[in-house]
Amino acid sequence: MLTVTGRNIEWKIVFEVDFEATYSLYTPHVSSFISLLISYFLLGCTIWSVTYRYIPNHIDLNTTYFQIIKFSIFSIVLTYMFLSIFDLIPPVYGNLSSNMALTYFPEIIAYHWKAFIFMSFHTMETVSNAVVQAVRAPSVNISQPLVILKKPVQHVCLIILESVRADTVPLNQSFAKAVRASFSSGTNAAKVTPFLNSLWENSVRTTAWSTSSYTLKSLVSIFCGIYPLLGNFLKEIKYKDGFYEKCLPELLHDTFRTKSNQSKFHSAIFTTARGDFDHQQQLFQQFQFDKIYDAADIYEKEGYVPDVGMFGPEDTHILPLVWKWLDDSLAEAKPSRLFMSLLATGTHEPFTVPDDYYSREYQDFIDDIYVNSFLNALHISDRLVSDIIQGFKRRHIYDNTLFIIVSDHGYVFNDHGSQIRGLLSNPLEPAFSVPLMFHNPHLIAKSLTEQFSTMDILPTIMDILLSSTKSRKKSMNRLLSVSETRLQSIFSRYEGRSILRMPVEQQAERLTFSLANPGGAFAIARQYPRKLSYDVTNDEVHLYHLGHDPTESTDLLALNGDDSDTYPPWIDIKSALQPRRKWKGRWARDILDIDVFSQILSNKKEMESSSMSEKTKLDLNEMMNWAEQTFELTRLWTRLINKRYYDAMTIFRDKKTAED
């Protein structure tokens, strides 16, 4: 196993997308990889030498017994090669850095046999419905809005910033403490991100968890309100016939129609990133945007433009294309309602800034060089957001446009001395916690403190737009004049919720899931303040209590019951710790744990009450019981999501066949 800055590097992931899309992941380690291949070659030479030189001199190769052995070995190797080529090896056993041929063969056979048995008998409606109810957001009371919308909204502008974590917008002292650095004199939110800081104070604002620290998977949740697949890189795109729910551009086209049954909305997405990275262009097409603008359009318009960072030109080069699309759309005889989105990449590592900015304006915000590069990149992105909103004001559509500012995921800067910088195979919370704000001059600003997900963006946008349609109900708050039937039809389809409405009743904190970059490294489940993370590569489970241990320094599953004197003071050592659970091998075991699943169904109220209880010390037994149930739910959740993607593809193909 190769280890780089504390993370395991899976060689398999470099073959899962095009060379140009992944070279930066593995070119620094090509020499190690070549050494690995040479070792396999030498092993093969040794086996060949023994087989064809030593054995013929000592064993009669013509005996039936030896022929059977040789045929069996050949069959095993052939089967293993077939499973490898067609990507049928279970994730736990797919690591080429430590994968010697035949080592995992019995496990592979067991995996696929159990999977067949499981899929045949345990994907019944009861299981699926129970998992859906356990993981979906709490229902909301449509008649009880948490905020006020004074006037209707016509247009939508969704801006997605790259790698901006929640404690940097607005910037606060907790960020410097987390990265173990010190701000320079005068550094604060108003200096680093003056516009975003002002916008934050004048918006409906909160923090949210991203569903993935891999950008393209995160976008699936933001635009479509669905979870991504557990798997490295953009596995979702192989279901080219569409996702299992409508994404926002298509949903807007279908929901808002003219009397002549034409869509009222035109949609476009803009980014300076090149579209060939991991099927980005195909993903945007699958979202069903009317227009897609990326680095290729910039090159066509301006000629050669140097890259800034990893993916393409500086973000400001996309603005002329934004203004042209807006102006052309508004100049139509019957102007459409507009939905535009911008994916800004300026704050992606390694946080490169344009040369002219570096020479004239680069500032020392903090005493860590790498973190300071990020804050300068964020400072530039702050100007970009300001320029966009000023452009809307100049076109007199600011007042009736809903602006949403969010990040695709966060970033980890060796937080709290973790010695794990970046996002690759990183399950720490700063990788997933992001700022989220909804802004319109007629949407009264308010800070919301519940637990939200980026999957809530789609339902919230639809809530505001449906509340902006004409209604017989008259109210000073447009959110009270919405058609409840129409809005509920949207809410019932998606697992997220509108952040603008009050939950129906006091419930347990919601259960949310996240996937660590590149999507198949860690599966993370959290029901704040409890967090469980499953290490797919090493088949390990970790358990944390974020309330008592926000730095994730104490893995509760690693505690030794015989050494309770070393427990942190926030753990109740008087609680009778049950025997340690066995976690190895349980994820790949596709037999439904009926006992645990029965607890999930019968103990829901008990789980809710315990999650809301305020205790000064942590009950380990309670945490262990939660971990058992959450682990089983997470296992079932990954299978449910896979089944939904597959079913959507099957339904679409059956429909297309019938039409043909």
Side-chain angles (χ1 to χ4, degrees):
M1 178 69 71
L2 299 174
T3 303
V4 178
T5 62
R7 297 188 296 272
N8 295 326
I9 304 299
E10 299 179 67
W11 281 110
K12 183 179 179 181
I13 67 175
V14 306
F15 299 110
E16 296 186 21
V17 290
D18 297 334
F19 176 83
E20 291 184 357
T22 57
Y23 71 91
S24 61
L25 294 176
Y26 61 88
T27 47
H29 314 290
V30 165
S31 58
S32 299
F33 187 50
I34 292 175
S35 300
L36 186 68
L37 294 180
I38 292 174
S39 69
Y40 278 116
F41 175 74
L42 294 176
L43 176 63
C45 291
T46 303
I47 295 174
W48 179 85
S49 178
V50 171
T51 303
Y52 290 97
R53 291 181 178 273
Y54 176 79
I55 292 179
N57 296 330
H58 296 81
I59 301 176
D60 183 3
L61 299 181
N62 295 318
T63 63
T64 304
Y65 177 73
F66 185 77
Q67 293 296 328
I68 292 174
I69 293 177
K70 189 163 68 171
F71 177 77
S72 299
I73 294 175
F74 175 78
S75 300
I76 290 173
V77 173
L78 187 64
T79 304
Y80 182 85
M81 291 174 61
F82 174 83
L83 293 171
S84 300
I85 292 171
F86 291 97
D87 197 26
L88 298 175
I89 298 179
V92 175
Y93 309 110
N95 191 314
L96 296 184
S97 298
S98 58
N99 188 359
M100 297 295 289
L102 308 181
T103 302
Y104 299 125
F105 182 77
E107 296 288 351
I108 294 167
I109 296 299
Y111 176 91
H112 290 286
W113 173 252
K114 292 172 187 174
F116 173 77
I117 297 298
F118 180 84
M119 293 302 293
S120 298
F121 294 98
H122 293 298
T123 53
M124 69 282 284
E125 201 71 20
T126 301
V127 174
S128 296
N129 290 341
V131 174
V132 169
Q133 291 304 315
V135 303
R136 72 179 298 117
S139 299
V140 296
N141 192 328
I142 295 178
S143 63
Q144 289 187 295
L146 295 169
V147 299
I148 297 174
L149 177 64
K150 292 183 176 180
K151 292 184 179 181
V153 166
Q154 295 295 312
H155 312 298
V156 179
C157 177
L158 172 55
I159 300 175
I160 303 168
L161 304 176
E162 171 71 50
S163 303
V164 176
R165 45 193 271 177
D167 53 4
T168 59
V169 175
L171 186 68
N172 56 72
Q173 191 62 41
S174 64
F175 173 70
K177 182 179 179 181
V179 300
R180 298 191 172 184
S182 299
F183 286 132
S184 303
S185 178
T187 297
N188 53 32
K191 183 177 181 180
V192 178
T193 53
F195 185 79
L196 285 172
N197 187 52
S198 174
L199 199 68
W200 178 267
E201 295 298 327
N202 291 282
S203 302
V204 175
R205 58 198 183 272
T206 188
T207 59
W209 280 305
S210 171
T211 59
S212 178
S213 54
Y214 184 69
T215 297
L216 298 181
K217 285 182 175 289
S218 175
L219 296 183
V220 171
S221 296
I222 292 174
F223 286 113
C224 307
I226 61 177
Y227 277 112
L229 288 166
L230 176 64
N232 290 328
F233 298 103
L234 199 61
K235 300 292 187 187
E236 295 78 2
I237 204 66
K238 71 179 181 180
Y239 300 97
K240 297 180 180 179
D241 300 321
F243 299 118
Y244 63 85
E245 286 294 355
K246 292 181 179 180
C247 300
L248 196 52
E250 182 183 8
L251 186 60
L252 294 177
H253 289 160
D254 292 351
T255 304
F256 301 95
R257 313 289 294 183
T258 65
K259 292 181 180 179
S260 58
N261 201 31
Q262 299 296 312
S263 174
K264 292 183 178 180
F265 268 91
H266 283 179
S267 60
I269 185 168
F270 301 83
T271 182
T272 59
R274 288 180 292 275
D276 59 354
F277 178 80
D278 195 9
H279 311 290
Q280 175 184 290
Q281 182 79 7
Q282 295 96 310
L283 179 66
F284 290 174
Q285 291 171 352
Q286 200 155 311
F287 289 157
Q288 298 200 24
F289 278 98
D290 297 327
K291 298 288 185 179
I292 300 171
Y293 299 91
D294 59 19
D297 299 283
I298 296 174
Y299 301 145
E300 182 179 347
K301 181 179 177 61
E302 301 184 27
Y304 171 75
V305 178
D307 285 359
V308 175
M310 293 179 63
F311 296 109
E314 182 190 358
D315 286 326
T316 54
H317 286 281
I318 202 68
L319 291 182
L321 296 172
V322 172
W323 306 142
K324 185 178 187 307
W325 179 79
L326 281 175
D327 293 337
D328 290 347
S329 299
L330 295 172
E332 293 179 355
K334 292 183 178 180
S336 300
R337 300 175 69 175
L338 304 178
F339 169 47
M340 68 151 283
S341 182
L342 172 71
L343 173 61
T345 63
T347 44
H348 192 287
E349 64 176 338
F351 316 123
T352 307
V353 299
D355 291 339
D356 57 345
Y357 175 88
Y358 187 83
S359 61
R360 294 182 298 176
E361 301 181 65
Y362 197 84
Q363 301 182 58
D364 293 325
F365 293 121
I366 199 167
D367 61 2
D368 183 294
I369 296 176
Y370 195 70
V371 179
N372 192 58
S373 297
F374 166 75
L375 292 180
N376 275 275
L378 181 59
H379 185 66
I380 296 173
S381 293
D382 180 78
R383 293 181 182 176
L384 177 73
V385 177
S386 175
D387 289 343
I388 291 172
I389 292 185
Q390 293 303 320
F392 274 73
K393 288 182 177 180
R394 288 193 299 270
R395 288 161 178 81
H396 307 292
I397 54 173
Y398 166 75
D399 285 352
N400 58 357
T401 298
L402 172 67
F403 296 92
I404 306 98
I405 316 294
V406 70
S407 181
D408 53 353
H409 49 70
Y411 193 82
V412 180
F413 294 96
N414 296 333
D415 284 60
H416 308 290
S418 64
Q419 300 303 310
I420 303 178
R421 188 176 71 186
L423 298 173
L424 186 64
S425 300
N426 196 332
L428 296 179
E429 284 298 282
F432 305 99
S433 184
V434 299
L436 173 60
M437 61 182 101
F438 292 81
H439 176 78
N440 177 271
H442 305 298
L443 181 64
I444 304 304
K446 186 174 183 178
S447 176
L448 304 178
T449 57
E450 295 183 50
Q451 308 304 318
F452 298 113
S453 164
T454 52
M455 292 177 63
D456 299 332
I457 293 173
L458 183 149
T460 305
I461 291 175
M462 293 304 295
D463 188 354
I464 292 177
L465 292 178
L466 287 173
S467 297
S468 299
T469 58
K470 291 182 179 180
S471 173
R472 294 180 180 179
K473 298 179 182 179
K474 301 299 179 182
S475 173
M476 295 296 294
N477 186 356
R478 299 287 306 192
L479 296 176
L480 289 172
S481 63
V482 68
S483 168
E484 295 191 11
T485 303
R486 202 176 180 195
L487 185 57
Q488 188 58 46
S489 69
I490 299 294
F491 288 170
S492 63
R493 292 171 54 179
Y494 296 91
E495 290 173 353
R497 53 163 288 195
S498 170
I499 73 170
L500 308 178
R501 309 273 176 180
M502 186 176 296
V504 169
E505 58 184 12
Q506 195 70 20
Q507 303 172 64
E509 295 291 352
R510 68 191 291 188
L511 189 65
T512 59
F513 298 97
S514 300
L515 303 176
N517 184 302
F522 279 83
I524 299 160
R526 63 178 75 74
Q527 189 180 36
Y528 191 84
R530 297 173 288 198
K531 174 180 177 178
L532 180 141
S533 62
Y534 173 66
D535 183 343
V536 178
T537 303
N538 299 305
D539 191 23
E540 295 177 351
V541 184
H542 307 278
L543 180 65
Y544 304 96
H545 191 285
L546 300 176
H548 292 293
D549 179 30
T551 65
E552 301 174 63
S553 58
T554 302
D555 182 0
L556 298 176
L557 296 181
L559 295 178
N560 189 337
D562 298 329
D563 194 19
S564 58
D565 292 340
T566 62
Y567 286 5
W570 43 269
I571 294 179
D572 182 9
I573 60 175
K574 295 181 180 180
S575 60
L577 185 62
Q578 299 175 5
R580 295 184 66 176
R581 275 71 161 178
K582 294 181 179 179
W583 302 96
K584 280 282 185 182
R586 287 177 57 178
W587 184 270
R589 182 189 66 185
D590 284 279
I591 304 299
L592 180 63
D593 193 326
I594 299 297
D595 292 336
V596 175
F597 189 73
S598 298
Q599 293 176 17
I600 294 172
L601 296 178
S602 62
N603 295 347
K604 189 172 186 295
K605 292 298 181 183
E606 181 180 333
M607 287 179 67
E608 290 178 1
S609 61
S610 65
S611 69
M612 293 183 289
S613 60
E614 297 181 1
K615 299 179 180 180
T616 56
K617 290 200 172 186
L618 183 68
D619 187 324
L620 277 178
N621 286 337
E622 183 180 293
M623 283 292 293
M624 295 301 173
N625 291 335
W626 178 85
E628 286 275 4
Q629 298 181 36
T630 302
F631 179 82
E632 189 67 18
L633 267 176
T634 306
R635 224 166 53 88
L636 294 172
W637 165 75
T638 60
R639 287 152 179 78
L640 174 65
I641 298 303
N642 273 280
K643 186 175 184 298
R644 284 178 167 179
Y645 277 89
Y646 178 79
D647 287 349
M649 176 185 68
T650 304
I651 291 171
F652 183 91
R653 289 182 177 175
D654 290 346
K655 181 180 178 181
K656 188 174 181 180
T657 301
E659 290 174 350
D660 294 341

